[in-house]
Amino acid sequence: MKRPAQPSGTFPWRFEPFLRARHWGRVVPPLVEAADVLVVLDCHFAWVAAGLEAGRRVYLSLSAIARQEAFGSPPSGRRLRCWQYARLERDAIAGADATVVASETHARELREHVRPPAFAPVMLHPVFPTVDEIPRVERAEGEPLHVLTLGRLVPSKG
């Protein structure tokens, strides 16, 4: 598959969610063949998914982005960006045969901030053991504990 073109120019930050979704919705569908299962991992691709043929569609919601925007974006653009993300997430949920969330809290945040119609998510509970189930790491007195985490450092993650 040919790699899709990246968005060109600088998006006005207040309209970035819709402009990014519109860009991907135009560029990606002609490059992709029909799929048996389509898994959408980001609401920016809700409009891409609408233009693709798929036997089954799954939206894996990793976080309630509209809720993050409601509390994390600059006050002057907060409502507009929050509304755009809520719309994109509603479209992703509406276009999916199943929506997967990680917890009841996540589902509640989507209900409060996104307000999807007829929302019955599939809940996948965390795959990691609870703190009480993790075996203790034995180390000598005074030896430092080294912890490694991997992730994206972006403002929306706080």
Side-chain angles (χ1 to χ4, degrees):
M1 176 180 107
K2 179 182 167 191
R3 183 184 176 126
Q6 294 295 313
S8 60
T10 304
F11 290 147
W13 69 269
R14 288 185 178 173
F15 299 103
E16 183 179 347
F18 272 3
L19 293 173
R20 187 176 301 278
R22 188 179 75 180
H23 168 79
W24 292 122
R26 289 179 178 168
V27 172
V28 174
L31 302 175
V32 180
E33 295 178 19
D36 294 322
V37 178
L38 172 64
V39 179
V40 178
L41 299 174
D42 187 321
C43 68
H44 284 107
F45 297 107
W47 297 348
V48 173
L52 296 176
E53 253 185 72
R56 190 120 166 100
R57 298 167 184 271
V58 177
Y59 176 50
L60 178 58
S61 179
L62 302 175
S63 63
I65 299 173
R67 184 203 63 80
Q68 289 176 352
E69 285 297 321
F71 297 106
S73 63
S76 60
R78 188 173 288 168
R79 284 193 184 124
L80 183 57
R81 286 176 60 90
C82 181
W83 178 82
Q84 289 176 74
Y85 279 115
R87 166 70 191 276
L88 290 171
E89 284 195 303
R90 265 194 306 276
D91 289 352
I93 291 167
D97 296 309
T99 298
V100 179
V101 298
S103 67
E104 185 54 49
T105 301
H106 184 162
R108 186 179 65 247
E109 288 174 347
L110 285 172
R111 284 185 189 101
E112 287 176 22
H113 295 278
V114 175
R115 303 181 194 279
F119 182 57
V122 174
M123 216 163 310
L124 289 184
H125 296 283
V127 296
F128 300 105
T130 64
V131 173
D132 296 334
E133 296 171 322
I134 298 173
R136 297 267 179 219
V137 176
E138 299 296 327
R139 58 185 207 281
E141 183 73 29
E143 184 180 330
L145 175 65
H146 297 278
V147 178
L148 174 66
T149 61
L150 302 173
R152 285 186 307 134
L153 297 175
V154 294
S156 66
K157 292 183 173 278

